[in-house]
């Protein structure tokens, strides 16, 4: 990617060296939010270097303390270290996924190995671990959040190799260094694919089926990239949104294959190396597989529990998907075609089936979901009704791109909660998908309020046109804000336990629970209005939208399960396992679980499965299903107790959202609902049982 990408995308990132490196001091802005208008590409490496140097000195002070190790002089002292490094990492790794260019890629390649070595120096420090171990052995004197923090630190050090021999620690450093290099390359290759793996269409007639707004957006994308015609770029999943509308089967096939086989040449060798190295690391730590290691500190605890829930659901989902496939094949015949259903046909003909079954298609629905109305009269309205919060745009604060908006969030009594940034549109230099993260974490110890952001990848319309959202995009907006409130509502003393720093198979619970407020009747009535007339969505059309809510769930569940099982199988190999071919491994893994079903591909195929090979969800993608059980059960509990009320919101906020990882996570749920969650509501919502 050319450096000019950042210049085109960002209105705030400066090109010339700043007079002072703003990363080296606490931001003077409210809530210590970053000074995006003063960040400079040349700031990062010096800030990383100084941050690591400062952090090393702070750790040495703790380690060399001649006094007996105590909770205050060791654990709390550790919580207070690394201010510059923390600030720099948050700013850099936030922006590297949002406005990435050659400068970011270069810095990442240089700094990741150093950060990995720096982390190893801490977690493999024998003297430091001895102090932590001494406190852990006397943990009976501690209670509450203090006890939880000690347990988290001890577990983190042990799982990082603190108890290994010197020889094994040397090997651990080598493995971590190699993994850091390969995982970084994998992620960079995926990011490049959003720029490199594009489809240029010269003949507008090939775009038959797309709306005028969609076509104008594709033309605008091509123009911005310095190309002629119409440019189709990829989103993160295998199934691309345009597949549901494109009539041209050859173009559908080209789009699907471009998506499904992206980064194959560059990332397939890395997938194998990463999986093998992780297996070696697990073996070194005494685990049979990476999956066994990875799940050791999760709610699921072990691979058997994960395979159990995935394999239990797989046959039910496949039966549903095959019923859907039969309906789609009938629709193909009805359309006068004689081909057999292929993956690139599914979305297009599923829409026809939807239209037939429910007399409904996206072109009818989208005019009632204009983005600003969904945001303000839907999402923020629901959050006000449930939690009493109000939201105020902060146009005075700098942002990293002209499309980003900053908001300040307030409690019902007017007290401030923190800041929220929204970056809604897809663009070059921005990785695909949707996510949330924190720029500043809440902590009573550090007296900090949360600064969080949501990222979406909604196609940006042509200049002057409204942003009309699909219902899936609406639900994604609600989903990501569920993560945001998890960070915003944190009320925890120690930063290591705050906000979303929970097990990965819990962190998706608040986000998925928040999705369902998008279909609550009071909320829908407030935001589902025609963008031109302001008239509410007709009752009949709304009924169709809600009735079709479980439509295509066989497909959706199978594609998710296939990806989750791929993730598990890649990380269930033993050390020393030889793998020659990624595609063959995929096929064998899916066949093993009965999901080698041609019309439905995994949501993420291996070579761009960033959750698994580039992010923090290795042997963890199952978490979305695991936590959906919590989410559906929680929503059902709220609806049985009054629904969208301040009382429900406050209880949920007090027992779950505010707690972070400061107590046992299942206990947090039980404190809210009075019991452990049941899978019954999930199966019904997905339409897999009557």
């Amino acid at each position: 990617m050319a450096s000019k990408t950042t210049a085109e995308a960002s209105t705030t990132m400066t090109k010339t060296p700043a007079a002072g490196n703003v990363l080296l001091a606490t931001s003077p802005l409210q809530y210590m939010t970053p000074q995006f208008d003063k960040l400079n590409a040349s700031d990062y490496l010096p800030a990383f270097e100084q941050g690591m140097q400062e952090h090393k000195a702070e750790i040495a002070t703790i380690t060399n303390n001649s006094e007996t190790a105590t909770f205050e002089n060791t654990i709390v002292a550790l919580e207070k270290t690394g201010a510059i490094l923390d600030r720099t990492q948050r700013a850099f790794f936030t922006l590297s996924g949002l406005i990435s260019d050659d400068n970011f890629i270069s810095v990442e390649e240089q700094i990741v190995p150093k950060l990995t070595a720096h982390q190893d120096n801490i977690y493999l420090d024998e003297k430091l671990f001895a102090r932590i171990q001494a406190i852990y052995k006397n943990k009976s004197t501690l209670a509450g959040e203090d006890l939880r923090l000690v347990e988290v630190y001890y577990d983190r050090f042990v799982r990082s190799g603190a108890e290994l021999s010197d020889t094994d620690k040397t090997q651990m450093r080598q493995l971590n260094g190699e993994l850091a290099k390969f995982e970084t390359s994998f992620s960079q290759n995926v990011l490049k694919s959003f720029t490199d793996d594009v489809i240029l269409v010269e003949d507008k007639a090939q775009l038959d089926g797309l709306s005028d707004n969609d076509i104008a957006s594709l033309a605008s994308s091509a123009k911005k990239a310095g190309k002629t015609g119409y440019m189709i770029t990829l989103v993160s999943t295998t199934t691309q949104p345009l597949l549901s509308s494109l009539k041209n089967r050859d173009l559908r096939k080209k789009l699907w294959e471009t998506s499904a086989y992206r980064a194959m040449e560059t990332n397939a060798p890395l997938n194998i190396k990463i999986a093998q190295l992780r297996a070696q690391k697990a073996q070194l730590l005494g685990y049979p597989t990476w999956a066994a290691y990875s799940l050791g500190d999760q709610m699921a605890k072990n691979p058997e529990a994960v395979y159990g829930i995935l394999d239990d659901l797989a046959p039910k989902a496949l039966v549903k998907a095959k019923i859907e496939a039969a309906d789609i094949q009938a629709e193909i015949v009805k359309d006068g075609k004689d081909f057999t259903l292929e993956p690139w046909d599914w979305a297009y003909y599923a829409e026809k089936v939807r239209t037939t079954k429910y007399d409904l298609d996206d072109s009818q629905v989208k005019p009632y979901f204009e983005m600003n109305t969904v945001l303000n009269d839907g999402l923020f309205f629901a959050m006000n009704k449930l939690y009493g919060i109000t939201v105020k745009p902060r146009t005075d604060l700098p942002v990293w791109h002209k499309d980003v908006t900053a908001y300040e969030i307030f409690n019902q009594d007017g007290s401030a909660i923190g800041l929220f940034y929204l970056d809604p549109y897809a663009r070059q230099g921005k990785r695909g998908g949707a996510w949330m993260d924190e720029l500043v974490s809440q902590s009573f110890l550090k007296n900090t309020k949360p600064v969080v952001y949501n990222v979406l990848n909604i196609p940006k319309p042509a200049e002057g046109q409204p942003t009309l959202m699909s219902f899936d995009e609406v639900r994604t907006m609600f989903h990501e804000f569920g993560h945001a409130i998890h960070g915003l509502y944190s009320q925890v003393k120690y930063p290591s336990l705050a906000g979303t720093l929970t097990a990965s198979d819990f962190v998706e619970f608040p986000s998925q629970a928040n999705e369902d407020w998008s279909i609550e009747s009071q909320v829908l009535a407030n935001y589902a209005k025609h963008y031109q007339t302001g008239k509410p969505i007709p009752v009949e059309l709304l009924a169709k939208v809600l009735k079709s809510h479980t439509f295509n769930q066989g497909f959706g569940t199978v594609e998710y399960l296939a990806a989750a099982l791929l993730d598990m199988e890649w990380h269930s190999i033993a050390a020393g396992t030889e793998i020659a071919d990624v595609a063959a491994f995929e096929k064998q893994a899916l066949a093993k679980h009965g999901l080698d079903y041609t019309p439905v591909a995994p949501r993420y195929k291996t070579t761009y499965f960033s959750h698994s090979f580039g992010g923090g969800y290795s042997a963890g993608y199952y978490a979305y299903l695991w936590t959906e059980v919590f989410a559906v059960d929680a929503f059902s509990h709220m609806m049985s107790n009054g629904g969208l009320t301040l009382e429900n919101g406050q209880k949920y906020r007090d027992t779950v959202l505010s707690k972070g990882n400061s107590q046992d996570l299942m206990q947090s749920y039980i404190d809210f609902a009075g019991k452990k969650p049941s899978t019954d509501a999930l199966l019904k919502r997905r339409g897999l049982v009557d």
Side-chain angles (χ1 to χ4, degrees), residues 161-173:
E163 293 182 317
L164 296 177
S165 67
D166 289 344
T167 299
D168 286 346
K169 284 181 179 179
T170 299
Q171 187 180 353
M172 178 63 73
R173 290 176 186 274

Side-chain angles (χ1 to χ4, degrees), residues 441-485:
S441 291
Q442 178 273 333
S443 167
F444 294 135
L445 179 69
K446 293 187 174 183
N447 195 30
T448 53
K449 290 185 181 294
V451 178
V452 308
Y453 63 92
N454 277 175
V455 177
L456 308 174
N457 264 286
I458 300 169
K460 189 173 183 180
E463 191 71 29
Q465 296 299 312
T467 302
L468 304 182
M469 303 172 69
S470 70
F471 195 57
D472 282 345
E473 289 167 342
V474 171
R475 290 183 67 82
T476 298
M477 178 179 279
F478 274 73
H479 175 105
E480 294 305 332
F481 199 75
H483 284 306
I485 56 175

Side-chain angles (χ1 to χ4, degrees), residues 384-412:
N384 172 262
K385 291 294 182 183
L386 193 60
Y387 304 110
I389 65 169
T390 54
V391 182
K392 173 187 174 184
R394 288 293 303 272
T395 56
D396 57 312
L397 293 174
V399 292
W400 56 86
H401 185 275
K402 63 182 180 180
D403 292 333
V404 176
T405 303
Y407 300 89
E408 190 169 8
I409 314 294
F410 298 92
N411 283 308
Q412 188 175 26

Side-chain angles (χ1 to χ4, degrees), residues 100-164:
S100 184
D101 60 12
D102 288 343
N103 291 322
F104 279 102
I105 291 172
S106 175
V107 172
E108 189 169 14
E109 288 174 342
Q110 294 177 70
I111 205 62
V112 166
K114 294 181 179 180
L115 289 172
T116 302
H118 176 70
Q119 180 172 287
D120 283 342
N121 289 338
I122 295 171
Y123 289 120
L124 301 179
D125 186 317
E126 187 174 348
K127 290 174 65 178
L128 180 58
F129 179 62
R131 295 181 70 87
I132 293 171
Q133 194 172 36
I135 299 165
Y136 180 79
K137 288 180 177 179
N138 291 292
K139 65 178 182 176
S140 59
T141 61
L142 302 171
E145 210 175 316
D146 293 358
L147 174 60
R148 183 74 167 180
L149 185 64
V150 169
E151 292 174 337
V152 166
Y153 262 98
Y154 179 78
D155 188 55
R156 189 184 298 168
F157 270 75
V158 171
R159 288 173 56 79
S160 297
E163 293 182 317
L164 296 177

Side-chain angles (χ1 to χ4, degrees), residues 595-658:
L595 291 182
D596 185 18
Y597 181 53
T598 299
V600 185
R603 182 173 299 172
Y604 297 97
K605 292 173 79 69
T606 301
T607 56
Y608 58 93
F609 201 167
S610 294
H611 292 78
S612 182
F613 289 92
Y617 279 69
S618 57
Y621 191 62
Y622 76 91
Y624 289 91
L625 179 66
W626 184 276
T627 53
E628 191 177 354
V629 173
F630 287 77
V632 178
D633 193 77
F635 188 76
S636 176
H637 175 77
M638 285 201 201
M639 295 308 290
S640 299
N641 289 276
L644 190 69
T645 66
L646 289 173
E647 290 76 17
N648 273 334
Q650 191 62 50
K651 184 179 182 183
Y652 180 55
R653 183 173 175 176
D654 289 343
T655 56
V656 176
L657 297 177
S658 68

Side-chain angles (χ1 to χ4, degrees), residues 498-572:
T500 58
L501 291 178
T502 69
S504 61
D505 57 4
F506 186 85
V507 76
E508 294 297 334
F509 157 40
S511 57
Q512 294 192 95
N514 209 57
E515 284 185 39
D516 281 335
W517 296 115
S518 66
I519 59 171
E520 196 273 341
S521 58
Q522 187 180 354
V523 178
L524 267 170
N526 204 60
Y527 78 88
K529 298 176 181 178
H530 199 283
Y531 77 99
Q532 290 174 315
T533 66
K535 292 183 178 179
I537 188 170
V539 173
E540 298 81 6
L541 181 57
L542 177 57
K544 292 174 186 176
V545 172
L546 297 178
K547 190 177 179 182
S548 68
H549 189 54
T550 59
F551 176 75
N552 216 31
Q553 280 295 309
F555 172 90
T557 306
V558 168
E559 68 156 4
Y560 166 77
L561 290 173
L565 285 163
L566 272 184
D567 172 42
M568 288 297 296
E569 287 294 341
W570 274 110
H571 294 106
S572 294

